[in-house]
Amino acid sequence: GQQVMQIPQYQHVQEGEDFTTYCNSSTTLSNIQWYKQRPGGHPVFLIQLVKSGEVKKQKRLTFQFGEAKKNSSLHITATQTTDVGTYFCAGPWGGDMRFGAGTRLTVKP
Amino acid sequence: KAGVTQTPRYLIKTRGQQVTLSCSPISGHRSVSWYQQTPGQGLQFLFEYFSETQRNKGNFPGRFSGRQFSNSRSEMNVSTLELGDSALYLCASSLAPGGLDTQYFGPGTRLTVL
């Protein structure tokens, strides 16, 4: 089973709407990473969060790491069709990298 | 700098056969992790190698094995293939092991078992 839980599993939005995916770990993480996988592609690294309460922005994407370092979120403002894909969170668990199940985002133009 | 490469990109095998997949990490990366990706199960951790040693193994049967060579290239082997082994097999390389560093994924090997 997944040690890093991610919700929702699917999200369909109209272009221009916002989107958020949430990630929760059963244990405190030293860091959390986010990846994006386009349809037919492979996961590509987006960002790494290390500090408690950390917030990082990449253009329309905002990443947060919870105060307890057990949860994280990715928020996309005003989605575009180029945002389509599956977003995974991942963190070190039990000595190796474990991935959440991912949130598949589809965007209707 | 060249990215992670995986060969072959596609494979079709029949039940009972065995298969070997290859992964060449980014130059300088000594950690290689393998994942199985299926539509229903997401990215499942198979194993991680660092400096030719297997550091960890996921919850997979002994039919799944791997190794890493002195040049950091890694192979994974699946023996006695089953229909359920059909999946995209991804390898990822990183500088440090244990999920502490960014993972760079290869394009994957799509395995179909008939």
Side-chain angles (χ1 to χ4, degrees):
Chain A
Q2 299 287 344
Q3 291 78 30
V4 180
M5 307 302 294
Q6 195 173 348
I7 57 169
Q9 191 175 0
Y10 301 97
Q11 186 77 56
H12 178 71
V13 300
Q14 189 80 34
E15 189 172 22
E17 292 182 337
D18 292 356
F19 159 77
T20 305
T21 173
Y22 301 90
C23 185
N24 291 286
S25 168
S26 56
T27 59
T28 300
L29 300 171
S30 61
N31 76 86
I32 197 157
Q33 300 178 25
W34 286 91
Y35 293 77
K36 177 184 179 181
Q37 184 174 21
R38 295 181 185 274
H42 56 274
V44 174
F45 173 78
L46 292 175
I47 208 159
Q48 181 183 44
L49 304 171
V50 179
K51 300 177 183 176
S52 169
E54 188 170 14
V55 178
K56 286 188 176 181
K57 292 190 175 184
Q58 289 180 351
K59 297 183 180 178
R60 295 177 294 103
L61 277 62
T62 301
F63 304 84
Q64 293 188 347
F65 201 8
E67 294 291 339
K69 300 182 77 173
K70 285 187 173 183
N71 61 289
S72 180
S73 65
L74 157 59
H75 180 82
I76 301 178
T77 303
T79 55
Q80 300 175 359
T81 55
T82 54
D83 295 326
V84 164
T86 301
Y87 293 85
F88 295 95
C89 63
W93 193 94
D96 50 70
M97 181 76 88
R98 297 298 171 115
F99 283 75
T103 296
R104 182 177 174 184
L105 173 66
T106 56
V107 180
K108 183 177 181 181
Chain B
K1 190 181 269 192
V4 178
T5 58
Q6 289 187 247
T7 57
R9 293 292 311 278
Y10 303 92
L11 263 180
I12 299 176
K13 293 285 187 179
T14 57
R15 280 182 300 172
Q17 288 186 308
Q18 76 164 16
V19 66
T20 299
L21 313 181
S22 180
C23 172
S24 292
I26 290 172
S27 177
H29 286 190
R30 291 193 293 160
S31 174
V32 174
S33 298
W34 288 89
Y35 297 89
Q36 181 193 66
Q37 186 172 36
T38 57
Q41 296 296 320
L43 276 163
Q44 298 293 315
F45 172 77
L46 278 158
F47 26 66
E48 180 183 37
Y49 286 88
F50 182 75
S51 295
E52 301 179 66
T53 301
Q54 186 181 90
R55 292 189 69 254
N56 244 330
K57 184 172 182 179
N59 189 25
F60 279 83
R63 301 185 295 107
F64 291 80
S65 63
R67 58 178 176 168
Q68 186 180 35
F69 302 94
S70 58
N71 61 358
S72 294
R73 189 177 70 86
S74 178
E75 289 181 347
M76 68 163 281
N77 184 276
V78 188
S79 62
T80 319
L81 284 166
E82 300 177 359
L83 294 179
D85 296 333
S86 293
L88 179 66
Y89 290 88
L90 293 159
C91 83
S93 76
S94 59
L95 283 170
L100 299 177
D101 198 11
T102 302
Q103 298 217 324
Y104 296 87
F105 283 83
T109 295
R110 173 77 60 184
L111 172 64
T112 302
V113 182
L114 303 175

